[in-house]
Amino acid sequence: MNTHIKKTLSLILAVMMLFGTFAFGASADEVKRISCTMVENGENARGFSWYTYENGNSDLQIVKTSEFDGDFDNAALYTGSVAKYRDQYIHKVYVNDLEAGTSYTYRVGDAEKKLWSEACTVRTDNGDDKFSFIAIADVQASSDENFAHAALTLKGALETAPEADFIANLGDYVNDNTNDEWDWYFKNFAFANNHYTHVPVAGNHDGNITNKLNTFCFSNTFALDESDNQSVEGVYYSFDYGNAHIAVLNTNDMYPMSQAQRNWLVNDMKQSDAMWKILMMHRSLYSAGKNINKPDTVIMRNMLLPIIDELGIDMVYAGHDHMYLRTTQVYGDKAVENVEYITETFKGEELTFALDPEGTVYTLPSTAGTKRYGVNEDAMKPILDVADKAFSTSDLGGTFCVTEIDGGKLVYKAYTVDDETQEIELVDTYAIKKTVGNTAEESDLEDSIISTIFTQPFAILGAIIEMIATYLNMLFDLAR
């Protein structure tokens, strides 16, 4: 064989080996999309989830960080479930016997295959009445670059509040709900998801039957509630943390919300005697964005506002409309009059507190991403009338908010992160002081499952009729 032929064959072999290596690397299994989510209570329970390309075991190794010496030889092992979804495998493990006030180091994967994630951490609630959390909304990116830019907002939040106990995402993680987008989200937000407890809220872009028939995506991405509170479009659930009870709604549920979920919310909140009652949801009840006047929002406001008033909810956090808005105290869809305000020093800062106020504060912390809306001056009454702050963040940057609870005091602050410089600016502050707590109540509303079976058909029909009526009223208003 002459030298020329030998060189040619060697080149062909090298190319084949090179492409073979790429092919092997592309198909090799890996642990990805890791999240640790809040379930039941902040002291003892967490849900863990992750994805792999290949089927296998769902194993979690976890050890107290104080006892972690670089390996997991002395770690506790938990095994969970695996299911196929979109040609990949979603793994979930639930743990409910963690110690309160403890930092843990963990990894997830498959012990048999020796396939493991990097070491991650999580901290449990110590049970006292002092804690803080970060909330962002509407990353809603469709490119790796835009996810990376939105991640800068959360990095700014963690720089501002590094001791935050958990991070809430108020929905619309992605735009088109593709596997690529979810991979980009988890890759760019791993710095937070792998080291903080996550509180996910289902957005309409995160798995919605009207969005390219993308169903069950949200419930297959996060380990949340193992009960019957899951739907094809999201999950609703609640948990206790410190002296607060927090409920997370699914505003994709039956456009705009099933009777079963509303019954669950009433039962859930009335059974809690926590001092602070907080609600998180995606579609906002008070917004001056482009979506506020749509019929589904009008119907949802009619359904939920009386319930929120009845339950004495203190704060509502929402997303969906990518602008900033915070109301004053609101009750009966009106600003509460004669609220008493006092000035006190809180951690070295003079703040004005609403003292034992009636009503609820609704906040919409704009978007952590780059898709931003202007202020809709035609927002339905009384949105702009009850808004203490309402502005576009188009020229300001990504937005996040930090809420700190210290006994009977709640301090809410909102910040922007400049797109170019990443400079962090405080844009809003609101504080509440309580001297009286809440008491739990008995509730005899129908159970969610029974309600779903017997009332769902009538609820669907009623929602359709109300939506048609809303559209007709809007048309009549336009014709005048």
Side-chain angles (χ1 to χ4, degrees), residues 32-51:
K32 61 177 187 172
R33 301 191 195 178
I34 301 167
S35 70
C36 171
T37 45
M38 197 79 74
V39 290
E40 297 178 14
N41 66 78
E43 293 185 31
N44 313 113
R46 292 294 186 275
F48 300 85
S49 61
W50 66 97
Y51 267 71

Side-chain angles (χ1 to χ4, degrees), residues 7-22:
K7 288 183 177 180
T8 302
L9 289 175
S10 297
L11 180 60
I12 293 171
L13 181 61
V15 171
M16 290 176 63
M17 290 177 65
L18 181 62
F19 276 99
T21 301
F22 284 158

Side-chain angles (χ1 to χ4, degrees), residues 140-337:
Q140 200 180 330
S142 53
S143 69
D144 192 10
E145 179 184 8
N146 281 345
F147 278 106
H149 189 85
L152 294 175
T153 301
L154 188 52
K155 287 178 179 177
L158 291 174
E159 179 183 330
T160 303
E163 298 302 316
D165 290 74
F166 59 87
I167 299 169
N169 188 315
L170 301 170
D172 279 0
Y173 290 75
V174 293
N175 190 58
D176 295 314
N177 200 10
T178 64
N179 273 329
D180 281 343
E181 288 182 353
W182 282 107
D183 284 343
W184 290 329
Y185 163 75
F186 276 100
K187 181 189 75 171
N188 286 289
F189 284 78
F191 67 92
N193 290 340
N194 293 6
H195 299 286
Y196 287 83
T197 300
H198 191 55
V199 176
V201 180
N204 55 296
H205 283 264
D206 301 329
N208 192 309
I209 199 167
T210 63
N211 184 3
K212 303 177 183 178
L213 298 178
N214 284 309
T215 56
F216 293 106
C217 187
F218 186 83
S219 59
N220 278 323
T221 298
F222 303 106
L224 291 167
D225 198 318
E226 294 184 280
S227 70
D228 297 303
N229 298 342
Q230 300 187 25
S231 76
V232 297
E233 298 165 329
V235 183
Y236 54 93
Y237 61 101
S238 67
F239 60 92
D240 293 313
Y241 207 99
N243 59 350
H245 184 70
I246 301 172
V248 177
L249 296 184
N250 169 24
T251 57
N252 300 329
D253 182 11
M254 214 193 73
Y255 281 97
M257 190 163 293
S258 66
Q259 183 68 48
Q261 185 175 177
R262 283 177 280 152
N263 286 353
W264 169 85
L265 176 62
V266 173
N267 284 322
D268 178 77
M269 281 291 177
K270 284 192 173 182
Q271 289 169 10
S272 174
D273 61 358
M275 172 167 279
W276 298 99
K277 294 187 176 181
I278 293 171
L279 194 59
M280 296 181 180
M281 57 201 297
H282 180 62
R283 295 173 190 265
S284 178
L285 301 175
Y286 286 90
S287 156
K290 69 175 187 177
N291 294 303
I292 190 61
N293 294 332
K294 291 183 178 179
D296 59 326
T297 304
V298 175
I299 296 170
M300 188 173 67
R301 293 182 89 254
N302 293 338
M303 287 179 172
L304 282 183
L305 289 181
I307 294 174
I308 292 171
D309 287 346
E310 174 194 352
L311 297 175
I313 305 295
D314 297 294
M315 297 282 293
V316 176
Y317 298 75
H320 193 47
D321 270 335
H322 305 189
M323 53 83 62
Y324 186 86
L325 186 141
R326 177 187 53 78
T327 70
T328 183
Q329 300 290 148
V330 175
Y331 186 89
D333 207 16
K334 296 178 181 178
V336 176
E337 298 180 357

Side-chain angles (χ1 to χ4, degrees), residues 302-411:
N302 293 338
M303 287 179 172
L304 282 183
L305 289 181
I307 294 174
I308 292 171
D309 287 346
E310 174 194 352
L311 297 175
I313 305 295
D314 297 294
M315 297 282 293
V316 176
Y317 298 75
H320 193 47
D321 270 335
H322 305 189
M323 53 83 62
Y324 186 86
L325 186 141
R326 177 187 53 78
T327 70
T328 183
Q329 300 290 148
V330 175
Y331 186 89
D333 207 16
K334 296 178 181 178
V336 176
E337 298 180 357
N338 302 318
V339 177
E340 181 182 355
Y341 291 97
I342 60 172
T343 300
E344 291 190 0
T345 300
F346 181 79
K347 296 190 174 180
E349 180 184 10
E350 276 203 353
L351 293 176
T352 299
F353 290 84
L355 181 61
D356 292 320
E358 183 184 23
T360 304
V361 174
Y362 296 81
T363 182
L364 173 66
S366 192
T367 169
T370 58
K371 183 180 179 183
R372 300 163 192 161
Y373 302 162
V375 176
N376 181 359
E377 299 296 342
D378 295 322
M380 72 175 76
K381 292 284 187 179
I383 300 293
L384 292 173
D385 296 334
V386 302
D388 223 5
K389 292 285 181 72
F391 54 85
S392 172
T393 60
S394 294
D395 299 324
L396 300 178
T399 309
F400 67 89
C401 62
V402 178
T403 300
E404 184 171 4
I405 289 177
D406 188 338
K409 293 181 178 180
L410 181 151
V411 177

Side-chain angles (χ1 to χ4, degrees), residues 63-137:
V63 61
K64 291 179 182 178
T65 301
S66 61
E67 300 173 4
F68 181 65
D69 58 5
D71 60 49
F72 287 85
D73 291 343
N74 60 338
L77 176 66
Y78 295 83
T79 298
S81 62
V82 60
K84 190 173 184 180
Y85 182 70
R86 287 182 173 180
D87 297 321
Q88 299 183 58
Y89 294 89
I90 170 66
H91 304 261
K92 294 183 181 181
V93 176
Y94 293 91
V95 179
N96 58 14
D97 58 356
L98 300 174
E99 292 184 17
T102 304
S103 175
Y104 286 90
T105 299
Y106 70 92
R107 65 180 182 178
V108 295
D110 187 328
E112 184 178 339
K113 293 180 179 180
K114 297 183 179 179
L115 174 69
W116 293 109
S117 70
E118 64 179 82
C120 306
T121 57
V122 64
R123 187 174 77 246
T124 56
D125 177 20
N126 62 11
D128 68 9
D129 59 1
K130 298 179 181 181
F131 71 97
S132 63
F133 64 89
I134 293 166
I136 62 170

